[in-house]
Every structure is written in C-alpha cells, then in structure tokens.
Amino acid sequence: MNPFEFVIALVVITGVFSLVKYRMTGRHSGGVGEPGDSQETLRLREEVSDLKERLKVLERITVEKENSLAKEIESLRDR
C-alpha cells in the first residue's frame, strides 16, 4: 500500500466513524419541539417541564425561612 492509498483509507475510515457517531448521538442537542419528535417524546418533554416547575416550588418552600410551610401549601391548593 503506497502512502497515497493509506491517506485515502484514513480519510474514508474517519468519515465513516464520524457519520456513525453523528447518527448515534443524535442530530440535535435537545431543543424544545424538534420537527421529528413523536407524540410520546413531546408528552415526555411536557412532563419533564411540569416536574421542573414542581421542583422549583419545593425548593422555594424548603429554602425560604420567612414563609411557613402551611402558608405555602394553602397557596398551592388555591391554584
């Protein structure tokens, strides 16, 4: 194998591995509502968003000392 063929072989192998890596990791890094998303994916994204909101509320309740826990629970019930 001469050096020219070796360089071509390396370029082809590198290209194939980058294509495989691109396909395996996904084309997007996780935006909201990608065009190819299924209904299940969209439902799960919405559920994760709702859970993040609930977590923010729980963190606020546990961190803020001036608000009592009972007062926060009552304000959440009124929603």
Coordinates of all heavy atoms in Angstrom, one line a residue:
M1 N 0.9 -1.2 0.0 CA 0.0 0.0 0.0 C 0.9 1.2 0.0 O 1.7 1.4 0.9 CB -0.9 0.0 1.2 CG -1.8 1.2 1.4 SD -2.8 1.1 2.9 CE -4.3 0.4 2.3
N2 N 0.7 2.1 -1.0 CA 1.6 3.3 -1.0 C 1.0 4.4 -0.1 O -0.2 4.2 0.4 CB 1.7 3.8 -2.5 CG 0.4 4.2 -3.1 OD1 -0.4 4.7 -2.4 ND2 0.3 4.1 -4.4
P3 N 1.7 5.4 0.2 CA 1.3 6.4 1.1 C 0.0 7.1 0.7 O -0.9 7.5 1.5 CB 2.4 7.4 1.2 CG 3.6 6.7 0.7 CD 3.1 5.6 -0.2
F4 N -0.2 7.3 -0.6 CA -1.5 8.0 -1.1 C -2.7 7.1 -0.7 O -3.7 7.6 -0.2 CB -1.4 8.2 -2.6 CG -2.6 8.9 -3.2 CD1 -2.8 10.2 -2.9 CD2 -3.5 8.2 -4.0 CE1 -3.9 10.8 -3.4 CE2 -4.6 8.8 -4.5 CZ -4.8 10.2 -4.2
E5 N -2.6 5.8 -0.9 CA -3.7 4.9 -0.6 C -4.0 4.9 0.9 O -5.1 4.8 1.3 CB -3.4 3.5 -1.1 CG -3.5 3.4 -2.6 CD -3.0 2.0 -3.1 OE1 -2.4 1.3 -2.3 OE2 -3.3 1.7 -4.3
F6 N -2.9 5.0 1.7 CA -3.0 5.0 3.1 C -3.8 6.2 3.6 O -4.7 6.1 4.5 CB -1.6 4.9 3.8 CG -1.7 4.8 5.3 CD1 -2.1 3.6 5.9 CD2 -1.3 5.9 6.0 CE1 -2.1 3.6 7.3 CE2 -1.3 5.8 7.4 CZ -1.7 4.7 8.0
V7 N -3.5 7.4 3.0 CA -4.1 8.6 3.4 C -5.6 8.6 3.0 O -6.5 8.9 3.8 CB -3.4 9.8 2.8 CG1 -4.2 11.1 2.9 CG2 -2.0 10.0 3.3
I8 N -5.9 8.1 1.8 CA -7.3 7.9 1.4 C -8.1 7.0 2.3 O -9.2 7.3 2.7 CB -7.4 7.4 -0.1 CG1 -6.8 8.5 -1.0 CG2 -8.8 7.1 -0.5 CD1 -7.5 9.8 -1.1
A9 N -7.4 5.9 2.7 CA -8.1 4.9 3.6 C -8.4 5.6 5.0 O -9.4 5.4 5.5 CB -7.2 3.7 3.8
L10 N -7.4 6.4 5.5 CA -7.6 7.0 6.8 C -8.8 8.0 6.7 O -9.6 8.2 7.6 CB -6.4 7.8 7.2 CG -5.3 6.9 7.8 CD1 -4.1 7.7 8.1 CD2 -5.8 6.2 9.1
V11 N -8.9 8.8 5.6 CA -9.9 9.8 5.4 C -11.3 9.1 5.3 O -12.3 9.5 6.0 CB -9.7 10.6 4.1 CG1 -10.9 11.5 3.8 CG2 -8.5 11.5 4.3
V12 N -11.4 8.0 4.6 CA -12.6 7.2 4.5 C -13.0 6.6 5.8 O -14.2 6.8 6.3 CB -12.5 6.1 3.4 CG1 -13.7 5.2 3.5 CG2 -12.4 6.7 2.0
I13 N -12.1 6.0 6.6 CA -12.4 5.5 7.9 C -12.9 6.5 8.9 O -13.8 6.4 9.6 CB -11.2 4.7 8.4 CG1 -11.0 3.4 7.6 CG2 -11.4 4.3 9.9 CD1 -9.7 2.7 7.9
T14 N -12.2 7.7 8.9 CA -12.5 8.8 9.7 C -13.9 9.3 9.4 O -14.7 9.6 10.3 CB -11.5 9.9 9.6 OG1 -10.2 9.4 9.9 CG2 -11.9 11.0 10.6
G15 N -14.2 9.4 8.1 CA -15.6 9.9 7.7 C -16.6 8.9 8.1 O -17.7 9.3 8.6
V16 N -16.4 7.6 8.0 CA -17.4 6.6 8.4 C -17.7 6.7 9.9 O -18.8 6.7 10.3 CB -17.0 5.2 7.9 CG1 -17.8 4.1 8.5 CG2 -17.0 5.1 6.4
F17 N -16.6 6.8 10.7 CA -16.8 6.8 12.1 C -17.4 8.1 12.6 O -18.2 8.1 13.5 CB -15.4 6.6 12.8 CG -15.0 5.2 12.9 CD1 -13.8 4.8 12.3 CD2 -15.8 4.3 13.5 CE1 -13.4 3.5 12.4 CE2 -15.4 2.9 13.6 CZ -14.2 2.5 13.0
S18 N -17.2 9.2 11.9 CA -17.9 10.5 12.3 C -19.3 10.4 11.9 O -20.2 10.9 12.7 CB -17.3 11.7 11.7 OG -16.2 11.5 10.9
L19 N -19.7 9.8 10.8 CA -21.1 9.6 10.4 C -21.8 8.7 11.4 O -22.9 9.0 11.9 CB -21.2 9.0 9.0 CG -22.6 8.8 8.5 CD1 -23.3 10.1 8.4 CD2 -22.5 8.1 7.1
V20 N -21.1 7.6 11.8 CA -21.7 6.7 12.8 C -21.9 7.4 14.2 O -23.0 7.3 14.8 CB -20.9 5.4 13.0 CG1 -21.3 4.6 14.2 CG2 -20.9 4.6 11.8
K21 N -21.0 8.2 14.6 CA -21.1 9.0 15.8 C -22.2 10.0 15.7 O -23.0 10.2 16.7 CB -19.7 9.7 16.1 CG -19.7 10.5 17.4 CD -18.4 11.1 17.6 CE -18.5 12.1 18.8 NZ -17.3 12.8 19.0
Y22 N -22.3 10.7 14.6 CA -23.4 11.7 14.4 C -24.7 11.0 14.5 O -25.6 11.5 15.1 CB -23.1 12.3 13.0 CG -24.2 13.3 12.6 CD1 -24.2 14.6 13.2 CD2 -25.1 13.0 11.7 CE1 -25.2 15.5 12.8 CE2 -26.1 13.9 11.3 CZ -26.1 15.1 11.9 OH -27.1 16.0 11.5
R23 N -24.9 9.9 13.9 CA -26.2 9.2 14.0 C -26.5 8.6 15.3 O -27.6 8.6 15.8 CB -26.2 8.0 12.9 CG -26.1 8.5 11.5 CD -27.3 8.1 10.8 NE -27.1 8.6 9.4 CZ -28.1 9.0 8.7 NH1 -29.3 9.0 9.2 NH2 -27.9 9.3 7.4
M24 N -25.5 8.1 16.0 CA -25.7 7.5 17.4 C -26.0 8.6 18.4 O -26.8 8.3 19.3 CB -24.4 6.8 17.8 CG -24.1 5.5 16.9 SD -25.3 4.2 17.2 CE -24.6 3.5 18.6
T25 N -25.4 9.7 18.4 CA -25.6 10.7 19.4 C -26.8 11.6 19.1 O -27.3 12.2 20.0 CB -24.4 11.7 19.6 OG1 -24.1 12.3 18.3 CG2 -23.2 10.9 20.0
G26 N -27.3 11.6 17.9 CA -28.5 12.4 17.6 C -28.1 13.6 16.8 O -27.0 14.2 17.0
R27 N -29.0 14.1 16.1 CA -28.7 15.3 15.2 C -28.9 16.6 16.0 O -28.4 17.6 15.6 CB -29.6 15.3 14.0 CG -29.3 14.3 13.0 CD -30.3 14.2 11.9 NE -30.2 13.0 11.3 CZ -30.8 11.8 11.7 NH1 -31.5 11.8 12.8 NH2 -30.7 10.7 11.0
H28 N -29.6 16.5 17.1 CA -29.9 17.8 17.9 C -29.5 17.6 19.3 O -29.4 16.4 19.8 CB -31.3 18.1 17.8 CG -32.2 17.0 17.9 ND1 -32.5 16.4 19.1 CD2 -32.9 16.3 17.0 CE1 -33.3 15.3 18.9 NE2 -33.6 15.3 17.6
S29 N -29.3 18.6 20.0 CA -28.8 18.6 21.4 C -30.0 18.8 22.4 O -29.7 19.0 23.5 CB -27.7 19.6 21.6 OG -28.2 20.9 21.4
G30 N -31.2 18.7 21.9 CA -32.3 18.7 22.9 C -33.0 20.0 22.9 O -33.2 20.6 24.0
G31 N -33.4 20.6 21.8 CA -34.3 21.8 21.8 C -35.7 21.4 22.2 O -36.0 20.2 22.3
V32 N -36.6 22.3 22.3 CA -38.0 22.1 22.6 C -38.7 21.9 21.3 O -38.7 22.8 20.4 CB -38.6 23.2 23.4 CG1 -40.1 22.9 23.6 CG2 -37.9 23.3 24.7
G33 N -39.4 20.8 21.1 CA -40.2 20.6 19.9 C -39.5 20.4 18.6 O -39.7 21.2 17.7
E34 N -38.6 19.5 18.5 CA -37.9 19.2 17.3 C -38.9 18.7 16.2 O -39.8 18.0 16.6 CB -36.8 18.2 17.5 CG -35.7 18.7 18.4 CD -34.9 19.9 17.9 OE1 -34.8 20.1 16.7 OE2 -34.5 20.7 18.7
P35 N -38.7 18.9 14.9 CA -39.6 18.5 13.9 C -39.9 17.0 13.8 O -41.0 16.6 13.6 CB -39.0 19.0 12.6 CG -38.0 20.0 13.0 CD -37.6 19.7 14.4
G36 N -38.9 16.2 14.1 CA -39.1 14.7 14.0 C -39.6 14.1 15.3 O -39.6 12.8 15.4
D37 N -40.0 14.8 16.3 CA -40.4 14.2 17.6 C -41.7 13.5 17.5 O -42.6 14.0 16.9 CB -40.5 15.3 18.7 CG -39.1 15.7 19.2 OD1 -38.1 15.1 18.8 OD2 -39.0 16.8 19.9
S38 N -41.8 12.4 18.2 CA -43.1 11.7 18.2 C -44.0 12.3 19.3 O -43.5 13.1 20.1 CB -42.8 10.2 18.5 OG -42.3 10.0 19.8
Q39 N -45.2 11.8 19.3 CA -46.1 12.3 20.4 C -45.6 11.9 21.8 O -45.7 12.7 22.7 CB -47.5 11.6 20.2 CG -48.3 12.3 19.1 CD -48.6 13.7 19.4 OE1 -48.1 14.6 18.8 NE2 -49.4 14.0 20.4
E40 N -45.0 10.7 21.9 CA -44.5 10.3 23.2 C -43.4 11.2 23.7 O -43.3 11.6 24.8 CB -44.0 8.8 23.1 CG -43.4 8.3 24.4 CD -44.5 8.0 25.4 OE1 -45.7 8.1 25.1 OE2 -44.1 7.7 26.6
T41 N -42.5 11.6 22.7 CA -41.4 12.5 23.1 C -41.9 13.8 23.5 O -41.5 14.4 24.5 CB -40.4 12.6 21.9 OG1 -40.0 11.3 21.5 CG2 -39.3 13.5 22.3
L42 N -42.9 14.3 22.8 CA -43.5 15.6 23.2 C -44.2 15.6 24.5 O -44.1 16.5 25.3 CB -44.4 16.1 22.1 CG -43.8 16.4 20.7 CD1 -44.9 16.7 19.7 CD2 -42.9 17.5 20.8
R43 N -44.9 14.5 24.8 CA -45.5 14.3 26.1 C -44.5 14.2 27.2 O -44.7 14.8 28.3 CB -46.4 13.0 26.1 CG -47.2 12.8 27.4 CD -47.9 11.5 27.4 NE -46.9 10.4 27.5 CZ -46.3 10.0 28.7 NH1 -46.5 10.7 29.8 NH2 -45.5 9.0 28.7
L44 N -43.4 13.5 27.0 CA -42.4 13.4 28.0 C -41.7 14.7 28.2 O -41.3 15.1 29.4 CB -41.4 12.3 27.6 CG -41.9 10.9 27.6 CD1 -40.8 9.9 27.1 CD2 -42.2 10.5 29.1
R45 N -41.5 15.5 27.2 CA -40.9 16.8 27.4 C -41.8 17.7 28.2 O -41.3 18.5 29.1 CB -40.6 17.5 26.0 CG -39.5 16.9 25.2 CD -39.3 17.7 23.9 NE -38.4 17.1 23.0 CZ -37.1 17.2 23.1 NH1 -36.6 18.0 24.0 NH2 -36.3 16.6 22.2
E46 N -43.1 17.6 28.0 CA -44.0 18.4 28.8 C -44.1 18.0 30.2 O -44.1 18.8 31.1 CB -45.4 18.3 28.2 CG -46.5 19.2 28.8 CD -47.8 19.1 28.1 OE1 -47.9 18.9 26.9 OE2 -48.8 19.2 28.9
E47 N -44.0 16.7 30.4 CA -44.0 16.1 31.8 C -42.7 16.6 32.5 O -42.8 16.9 33.7 CB -44.1 14.6 31.7 CG -44.2 14.0 33.1 CD -44.4 12.5 33.0 OE1 -44.8 12.0 31.9 OE2 -44.1 11.8 34.0
V48 N -41.6 16.5 31.9 CA -40.3 17.0 32.5 C -40.4 18.5 32.8 O -40.0 18.9 33.9 CB -39.1 16.7 31.6 CG1 -37.9 17.4 32.0 CG2 -38.9 15.2 31.5
S49 N -41.0 19.2 32.0 CA -41.2 20.7 32.3 C -42.1 20.9 33.5 O -41.7 21.7 34.4 CB -41.8 21.4 31.0 OG -42.1 22.7 31.3
D50 N -43.2 20.1 33.6 CA -44.0 20.2 34.7 C -43.3 19.8 36.0 O -43.5 20.5 37.1 CB -45.3 19.4 34.6 CG -46.2 19.9 33.5 OD1 -46.1 21.1 33.1 OD2 -47.0 19.1 33.0
L51 N -42.5 18.8 35.9 CA -41.8 18.3 37.1 C -40.7 19.3 37.6 O -40.5 19.5 38.7 CB -41.1 16.9 36.8 CG -42.1 15.8 36.7 CD1 -41.4 14.5 36.3 CD2 -42.8 15.5 38.0
K52 N -40.1 20.0 36.6 CA -39.1 21.0 37.0 C -39.8 22.2 37.7 O -39.3 22.7 38.6 CB -38.4 21.5 35.7 CG -37.4 20.6 35.2 CD -36.7 21.2 33.9 CE -35.6 20.3 33.4 NZ -35.0 20.8 32.2
E53 N -41.0 22.5 37.2 CA -41.8 23.6 37.9 C -42.1 23.2 39.4 O -42.0 24.0 40.3 CB -43.0 23.9 37.2 CG -42.8 24.8 35.9 CD -42.2 26.1 36.3 OE1 -42.6 26.8 37.2 OE2 -41.2 26.5 35.6
R54 N -42.5 21.9 39.5 CA -42.9 21.5 40.9 C -41.6 21.4 41.7 O -41.7 21.8 42.9 CB -43.5 20.1 40.8 CG -44.9 20.1 40.1 CD -45.4 18.7 40.0 NE -45.7 18.1 41.3 CZ -46.1 16.9 41.5 NH1 -46.3 16.1 40.4 NH2 -46.4 16.4 42.7
L55 N -40.5 21.1 41.2 CA -39.3 21.0 41.9 C -38.9 22.4 42.4 O -38.4 22.6 43.5 CB -38.1 20.4 41.1 CG -36.8 20.3 41.8 CD1 -36.9 19.3 43.0 CD2 -35.8 19.7 40.8
K56 N -39.1 23.4 41.5 CA -38.8 24.8 41.9 C -39.6 25.3 43.1 O -39.1 25.9 44.0 CB -39.0 25.7 40.7 CG -38.0 25.7 39.6 CD -38.3 26.6 38.5 CE -37.4 26.5 37.3 NZ -37.7 27.4 36.2
V57 N -40.9 24.9 43.0 CA -41.8 25.2 44.1 C -41.3 24.6 45.4 O -41.2 25.2 46.5 CB -43.2 24.8 43.8 CG1 -44.1 25.0 45.1 CG2 -43.8 25.7 42.7
L58 N -41.0 23.3 45.4 CA -40.5 22.6 46.6 C -39.2 23.2 47.1 O -39.0 23.3 48.3 CB -40.3 21.1 46.3 CG -41.6 20.3 46.1 CD1 -41.3 18.9 45.6 CD2 -42.5 20.3 47.3
E59 N -38.3 23.6 46.2 CA -37.0 24.2 46.6 C -37.3 25.5 47.3 O -36.7 25.9 48.3 CB -36.1 24.4 45.4 CG -35.5 23.1 45.0 CD -34.7 23.3 43.7 OE1 -34.9 24.3 43.0 OE2 -33.9 22.4 43.4
R60 N -38.2 26.3 46.7 CA -38.6 27.6 47.3 C -39.2 27.4 48.7 O -38.9 28.1 49.6 CB -39.5 28.3 46.4 CG -39.9 29.7 46.9 CD -40.6 30.5 45.8 NE -41.6 29.7 45.1 CZ -42.9 29.7 45.3 NH1 -43.4 30.4 46.3 NH2 -43.7 29.0 44.6
I61 N -40.0 26.4 48.9 CA -40.7 26.2 50.2 C -39.6 25.8 51.2 O -39.6 26.3 52.3 CB -41.7 25.0 50.0 CG1 -42.9 25.5 49.3 CG2 -42.2 24.5 51.4 CD1 -43.9 24.5 48.9
T62 N -38.7 24.9 50.8 CA -37.7 24.5 51.8 C -36.6 25.5 52.1 O -36.0 25.5 53.2 CB -37.0 23.2 51.4 OG1 -36.4 23.4 50.1 CG2 -38.0 22.1 51.3
V63 N -36.3 26.4 51.2 CA -35.2 27.4 51.4 C -35.7 28.6 52.1 O -35.0 29.1 53.0 CB -34.6 27.7 50.0 CG1 -33.6 28.9 50.1 CG2 -33.9 26.5 49.4
E64 N -36.8 29.1 51.7 CA -37.3 30.4 52.3 C -37.8 30.2 53.8 O -38.7 29.4 54.0 CB -38.4 31.0 51.5 CG -38.0 31.5 50.1 CD -39.1 32.0 49.3 OE1 -40.3 32.0 49.8 OE2 -38.9 32.5 48.2
K65 N -37.1 30.8 54.7 CA -37.5 30.6 56.1 C -38.6 31.5 56.6 O -39.3 31.2 57.5 CB -36.2 30.8 56.9 CG -35.2 29.8 56.7 CD -34.0 30.0 57.6 CE -33.0 28.9 57.4 NZ -31.8 29.0 58.2
E66 N -38.8 32.6 55.9 CA -39.9 33.5 56.4 C -41.3 33.0 56.1 O -42.2 33.4 56.8 CB -39.7 35.0 55.9 CG -39.6 35.1 54.4 CD -38.2 35.2 53.9 OE1 -37.2 35.2 54.7 OE2 -38.0 35.2 52.7
N67 N -41.4 32.2 55.1 CA -42.7 31.7 54.8 C -42.9 30.3 55.5 O -42.1 29.5 55.4 CB -42.9 31.4 53.3 CG -42.9 32.8 52.5 OD1 -43.4 33.8 53.1 ND2 -42.5 32.7 51.3
S68 N -44.0 30.2 56.1 CA -44.3 28.9 56.8 C -44.7 27.9 55.8 O -45.3 28.2 54.7 CB -45.3 29.1 57.9 OG -46.6 29.3 57.3
L69 N -44.5 26.6 56.1 CA -44.9 25.5 55.2 C -46.4 25.5 55.0 O -46.9 25.3 53.9 CB -44.4 24.2 55.8 CG -44.6 23.0 54.9 CD1 -43.9 23.1 53.6 CD2 -44.0 21.7 55.6
A70 N -47.2 25.7 56.0 CA -48.6 25.6 55.9 C -49.1 26.7 55.0 O -50.0 26.5 54.2 CB -49.2 25.8 57.3
K71 N -48.5 27.9 55.1 CA -49.0 29.0 54.2 C -48.7 28.7 52.7 O -49.5 29.0 51.9 CB -48.2 30.3 54.6 CG -48.5 31.5 53.8 CD -47.7 32.7 54.3 CE -47.9 33.9 53.4 NZ -47.0 35.0 53.8
E72 N -47.6 28.1 52.4 CA -47.2 27.7 51.1 C -48.1 26.6 50.5 O -48.6 26.7 49.4 CB -45.8 27.3 51.0 CG -44.8 28.4 51.0 CD -44.9 29.3 49.8 OE1 -45.1 28.8 48.7 OE2 -44.7 30.5 49.9
I73 N -48.5 25.7 51.4 CA -49.3 24.6 50.9 C -50.7 25.1 50.6 O -51.3 24.8 49.6 CB -49.4 23.5 52.0 CG1 -48.0 22.8 52.1 CG2 -50.5 22.5 51.7 CD1 -47.9 21.8 53.2
E74 N -51.2 26.0 51.5 CA -52.5 26.6 51.2 C -52.5 27.5 49.9 O -53.5 27.4 49.2 CB -52.9 27.5 52.4 CG -53.3 26.7 53.6 CD -54.5 25.8 53.4 OE1 -55.4 26.1 52.7 OE2 -54.4 24.6 53.9
S75 N -51.5 28.2 49.7 CA -51.4 29.0 48.4 C -51.4 28.1 47.2 O -51.9 28.4 46.1 CB -50.2 29.9 48.5 OG -49.0 29.2 48.3
L76 N -50.7 26.9 47.3 CA -50.7 26.0 46.2 C -52.1 25.3 46.0 O -52.4 25.0 44.9 CB -49.6 24.9 46.4 CG -48.2 25.4 46.3 CD1 -47.2 24.4 46.7 CD2 -47.9 26.0 45.0
R77 N -52.8 25.1 47.1 CA -54.1 24.5 46.9 C -55.1 25.4 46.2 O -56.0 25.0 45.6 CB -54.7 24.1 48.3 CG -54.1 22.9 48.9 CD -54.7 22.5 50.2 NE -54.0 21.4 50.8 CZ -54.1 21.1 52.1 NH1 -54.8 21.9 52.9 NH2 -53.4 20.1 52.6
D78 N -54.9 26.7 46.4 CA -55.8 27.7 45.8 C -55.7 27.8 44.3 O -56.5 28.4 43.7 CB -55.7 29.0 46.4 CG -56.0 29.0 47.9 OD1 -56.8 28.2 48.3 OD2 -55.6 29.9 48.6
R79 N -54.7 27.2 43.7 CA -54.5 27.3 42.3 C -55.6 26.7 41.5 O -56.2 25.8 41.4 CB -53.2 26.7 41.9 CG -52.0 27.5 42.2 CD -50.8 26.9 41.6 NE -49.7 27.8 41.8 CZ -48.5 27.5 41.3 NH1 -48.2 26.5 40.7 NH2 -47.5 28.3 41.5

